[in-house]
Amino acid sequence: MAAAAEEAAGSGGGGSPSSARRRLRIISGHLRGSPRAPEREALSPSPCKAQGGPAGPVSGSIPKKRQELLKWNGWGYNDSKFIFNKKGQAEFTGKRYRLGGMVLPTFKEWIEKTFGASLEHKTTSRASLNINDVPPSIVNEDFLQDLRATKISYSQDAEDRVFRAHGHCLHEIFVLREGMFKRIPDIVVWPVCHEDVVKIVELACKHNLCIIPFGGGTSVSSALECPEEEKRTIVSLDTSQMNRILWIDEKNLTACAEAGIVGQDLEKQLAESGFCTGHEPDSMEFSSLGGWVATRASGMKKNIYGNIEDLVIHIKMVTPRGIVEKNCQVPRMSTGPDIHHFIMGSEGTLGVVTEVTIKIRPVPEYQKYGSVVFPNFERGVACLREVAKQRCAPASIRLVDNAQFQFGHAVKPQVASIFTSFLDGLKKFYITKFKGFDPNILCVATLLFEGDREKVLQHEKQVYDIATKFGGLAAGEDNGQRGYMLTFVIAYLRDLGLDYYVIGESFETSVPWDRVLDLCRNVKERIVRECKEKGVQFAPLCTCRVTQTYDAGACVYFYFAFNYRGISDPIHVYEQIERAAREEILANGGSLSHHHGVGKLRKHWMKESISDVGLGMLRSVKEYVDPNNIFGNKNLL
């Protein structure tokens, strides 16, 4: 790590500091005489905020003290949630989302009919965190003394530690509502730049500590849970204060940002300069750039902008062995196996990603939503397959099955206008009576087009023409926009369900086109069968959507929930059923994960997924880069 610290003092381009400075001089020389040269000061290394650099701290959307804004035992913002008001009507609180403050007149009926739930049967969650339940912080005093000397911010506060002890798996949230984790981080540290991370990793090596990197905290793979058997001091390295865009290169359409910046801030800051990444995972409000890299994330608009592996140009990562990065920022290299692919998907097992250079695009001049209703799921899948085959997919195209369509209808706000209500009724009559679509079988695709206005309109016509060949009917822009925006609030629904004995979770896979229908049908049937065998008294909800499409296959995203009244250990039962569903996915030719990652939740299947030899290769990288298991979160391996 001494070598790493020395290297960090250079420009960060790889190699010795002198060679990095030499390259910088050469590049600067090429830029002299250019009328835009003064604007290219970003080629100089950005000073660390801790050293009083001119940039200063950036105030992000998510505060350092997460508890000031976010729920301690649920998803998202404190002021945003589904509730039943005094009249027994469902509504969504807050003003952050379009659904905020609106009454949902049919939601109560849907939840009662779907789950057999009742407003009379309500569970009670702990109103606040009981500090006495939190395991004590055990930190080596010598380490603390060395840490103080670095002037890096840290905390041993119980709330800070609990907030970083978990992600958002069902069992993690259930534990927070009912009890407490047996092991949580002993200390939280907040580096503000790459150099701070180098210092922290050096101290961890010196004192033999365990580091668990923390980005946005949105993991759904148990990746952030502390191993119960870990006896060393566990350090949660929170990257949230590393949240600057370091530079934007308009000529090459790239931008370099610190890894802790969350999606919404990245897009806002880029938009100020007229750019975007186009990377929009469902969690983009809270998830971080470094987290996207560490989990091989995918976004809703990947058809135009690509997945994270398509966007990344350069990665800087601090490991116990030193700093890993390439020596240049180019679109492609043929220099053996790509080291980026050791980093992407490594899930905090090798080191901490500190800076990432990604592709950017000009903000699209025109955006248009749309939707198509199909007579059944089979026709919808066939349409998406043809769209993918012709390589004309819009920015986002997602097909929901009938059960998810019914849910979407249940969270439709009360309409204020009699005329709007009349039009909705007219559309429903046209689709179900005149066209003969069965409302209990039909499914809907939501669309989002982006780009040049004229090209978007041409693109839209091409997609709708294909849809028509498969029996699809255009269902309007409003339904498309509402379906897209629902993505950001659907995660809040689980917290309401838990209040009324309903537990639920999502899981996903990727699958070849010729296996999509079989996989969807077989997984749903397996879940229903397992629920009966495990003593679940009420019929489960099992629904899916096709969310991302490729030449050779698609991503399928499942939601699964059931009423657990009468079950003594609902989480254990749920995990047994989910495990069976995952076995069914693999048996039907699906992948272990498309974008959620592996963590500790799915590592049981890693050997089956990548072969014994493949797993051995990953272990060899881990043993070389981190021989003392400093990054000991026990993910993947």
Side-chain angles (χ1 to χ4, degrees):
M1 281 304 298
E6 182 184 355
E7 186 174 333
S11 70
S16 69
S18 59
S19 64
R21 284 192 290 270
R22 186 168 60 253
R23 285 196 296 274
L24 193 57
R25 283 197 301 272
I26 292 170
I27 294 171
S28 299
H30 289 317
L31 293 170
R32 286 179 195 141
S34 165
R36 301 194 59 150
E39 299 179 24
R40 297 300 294 272
E41 291 178 2
L43 281 167
S44 301
S46 269
C48 178
K49 287 179 284 187
Q51 299 167 355
V58 174
S59 178
S61 297
I62 310 301
K64 183 177 178 180
K65 295 286 186 179
R66 300 170 69 83
Q67 54 269 36
E68 295 172 1
L69 186 68
L70 306 180
K71 295 186 186 76
W72 72 277
N73 64 350
W75 177 264
Y77 299 106
N78 284 320
D79 59 6
S80 303
K81 58 184 173 180
F82 286 97
I83 63 166
F84 288 109
N85 60 29
K86 293 179 180 178
K87 295 180 180 180
Q89 297 174 311
E91 63 178 89
F92 191 76
T93 65
K95 298 179 180 179
R96 298 178 187 276
Y97 303 92
R98 291 185 62 186
L99 202 60
M102 294 186 178
V103 172
L104 314 173
T106 64
F107 185 77
K108 177 174 175 285
E109 179 185 355
W110 176 82
I111 198 171
E112 290 175 339
K113 179 182 176 182
T114 303
F115 298 106
S118 169
L119 299 194
E120 297 176 2
H121 298 113
K122 189 173 182 181
T123 65
T124 54
S125 170
R126 294 186 304 166
S128 60
L129 177 64
N130 186 345
I131 303 300
N132 294 326
D133 292 339
V134 178
S137 170
I138 304 171
V139 180
N140 180 296
E141 277 301 322
D142 291 337
F143 163 69
L144 270 183
Q145 187 174 340
D146 285 348
L147 182 63
R148 291 187 191 107
T150 68
K151 294 184 168 49
I152 295 170
S153 178
Y154 72 91
S155 171
Q156 292 174 268
D157 177 77
E159 275 194 305
D160 291 331
R161 292 161 54 224
V162 170
F163 251 86
R164 291 155 185 83
H166 65 89
H168 283 274
C169 288
L170 172 63
H171 70 271
E172 293 172 312
I173 301 303
F174 203 86
V175 165
L176 286 171
R177 290 170 62 96
E178 305 288 334
M180 181 47 60
F181 300 104
K182 294 179 181 178
R183 190 75 171 93
I184 70 170
D186 296 297
I187 186 170
V188 180
V189 295
W190 286 280
V192 296
C193 62
H194 168 80
E195 289 78 13
D196 279 357
V197 175
V198 171
K199 293 172 186 176
I200 293 167
V201 175
E202 281 185 324
L203 291 181
C205 293
K206 175 182 177 181
H207 296 284
N208 190 27
L209 312 180
C210 174
I211 295 177
I212 297 182
F214 184 94
T218 58
S219 165
V220 286
S221 65
S222 302
L224 290 170
E225 280 191 86
C226 298
E228 290 182 14
E229 65 278 13
E230 180 58 74
K231 303 300 182 186
R232 298 174 296 178
T233 293
I234 297 179
V235 179
S236 175
L237 193 155
D238 185 331
T239 61
S240 63
Q241 303 308 294
M242 297 169 56
N243 57 5
R244 294 179 298 171
I245 293 178
L246 300 178
W247 50 258
I248 295 172
D249 185 335
E250 296 184 12
K251 288 188 176 180
N252 293 310
L253 286 178
T254 57
C256 181
E258 292 174 313
I261 192 168
V262 296
Q264 60 172 317
D265 290 340
L266 179 61
E267 292 303 320
K268 284 176 190 173
Q269 291 182 41
L270 284 174
E272 291 172 1
S273 299
F275 297 101
C276 68
T277 68
H279 187 72
E280 290 188 8
D282 295 1
S283 62
M284 73 166 290
E285 297 168 279
F286 311 109
S287 58
S288 67
L289 174 59
W292 300 344
V293 170
T295 57
R296 290 182 62 87
S298 179
M300 292 183 282
K301 299 193 293 189
K302 77 95 199 159
N303 294 332
I304 288 181
Y305 302 99
N307 292 319
I308 194 66
E309 65 269 23
D310 305 307
L311 288 166
V312 165
I313 294 293
H314 188 266
I315 302 171
K316 184 185 286 189
M317 183 170 79
V318 180
T319 79
R321 282 277 184 186
I323 297 166
V324 182
E325 63 177 326
K326 297 179 181 179
N327 73 328
C328 55
Q329 304 206 13
V330 294
R332 189 176 188 273
M333 295 170 68
S334 179
T335 50
D338 193 336
I339 61 167
H340 284 171
H341 289 280
F342 288 112
I343 299 171
M344 287 189 285
S346 58
E347 300 189 7
T349 60
L350 303 178
V352 184
V353 174
T354 58
E355 296 173 10
V356 184
T357 302
I358 49 174
K359 300 175 187 175
I360 57 175
R361 298 293 303 166
V363 172
E365 69 170 70
Y366 189 66
Q367 190 177 68
K368 189 173 184 181
Y369 293 92
S371 60
V372 180
V373 59
F374 294 96
N376 54 51
F377 192 63
E378 291 78 11
R379 293 278 192 94
V381 170
C383 175
L384 264 63
R385 172 67 188 109
E386 185 61 27
V387 168
K389 189 176 181 180
Q390 294 192 27
R391 292 188 171 178
C392 62
S396 174
I397 178 168
R398 301 189 297 171
L399 178 75
V400 302
D401 67 4
N402 185 261
Q404 205 161 137
F405 163 74
Q406 301 286 355
F407 163 73
H409 184 71
V411 291
K412 191 170 185 179
Q414 186 173 347
V415 293
S417 163
I418 295 176
F419 180 68
T420 302
S421 180
F422 172 74
L423 284 179
D424 286 345
L426 200 62
K427 290 175 187 174
K428 183 177 180 181
F429 176 82
Y430 175 75
I431 290 171
T432 59
K433 304 298 182 184
F434 188 73
K435 298 299 293 186
F437 283 27
D438 186 337
N440 296 311
I441 297 177
L442 64 81
C443 69
V444 175
T446 57
L447 313 170
L448 171 61
F449 299 89
E450 286 187 356
D452 172 84
R453 187 177 188 278
E454 185 176 340
K455 290 181 180 178
V456 162
L457 296 178
Q458 292 173 353
H459 194 182
E460 181 187 41
K461 182 180 184 306
Q462 183 181 10
V463 172
Y464 278 112
D465 285 348
I466 294 172
T468 301
K469 295 177 183 178
F470 293 91
L473 295 173
E477 288 185 58
D478 288 346
N479 286 325
Q481 186 172 19
R482 202 167 59 83
Y484 193 85
M485 296 308 169
L486 269 179
T487 300
F488 298 110
V489 300
I490 197 169
Y492 287 93
L493 188 62
R494 184 175 66 185
D495 297 333
L496 178 70
L498 285 168
D499 288 339
Y500 295 94
Y501 289 93
V502 175
I503 55 176
E505 185 69 283
S506 63
F507 54 93
E508 41 67 64
T509 186
S510 49
V511 61
W513 279 113
D514 65 348
R515 302 298 302 158
V516 169
L517 292 175
D518 287 343
L519 183 142
C520 292
R521 181 187 63 251
N522 292 343
V523 170
K524 290 179 183 180
E525 290 177 354
R526 179 72 178 270
I527 287 174
V528 170
R529 191 164 65 247
E530 292 285 336
C531 282
K532 288 181 180 178
E533 292 176 3
K534 300 294 186 297
V536 177
Q537 298 176 19
F538 304 88
L541 170 71
C542 186
T543 175
C544 69
R545 66 175 183 249
V546 179
T547 60
Q548 282 106 324
T549 61
Y550 301 84
D551 289 351
C555 170
V556 178
Y557 201 99
F558 289 90
Y559 289 106
F560 160 48
F562 62 83
N563 185 330
Y564 70 85
R565 271 193 296 132
I567 298 175
S568 60
D569 191 352
I571 297 301
H572 178 65
V573 170
Y574 176 85
E575 288 175 345
Q576 285 182 309
I577 297 169
E578 186 187 32
R579 188 183 183 96
R582 181 61 58 184
E583 295 280 6
E584 192 68 32
I585 284 172
L586 296 173
N588 280 267
S591 68
L592 184 56
S593 175
H594 171 263
H595 60 271
H596 279 174
V598 176
K600 290 177 272 292
L601 191 65
R602 288 175 276 272
K603 71 177 185 177
H604 167 78
W605 292 283
M606 276 293 282
K607 183 189 292 187
E608 179 181 347
S609 296
I610 64 172
S611 80
D612 193 19
V613 173
L615 192 60
M617 292 169 69
L618 294 185
R619 286 196 178 110
S620 295
V621 172
K622 167 71 174 174
E623 288 167 6
Y624 174 76
V625 171
D626 186 15
N628 296 315
N629 196 30
I630 299 300
F631 290 90
N633 58 22
K634 295 203 168 181
N635 293 337
L636 291 175
L637 305 174

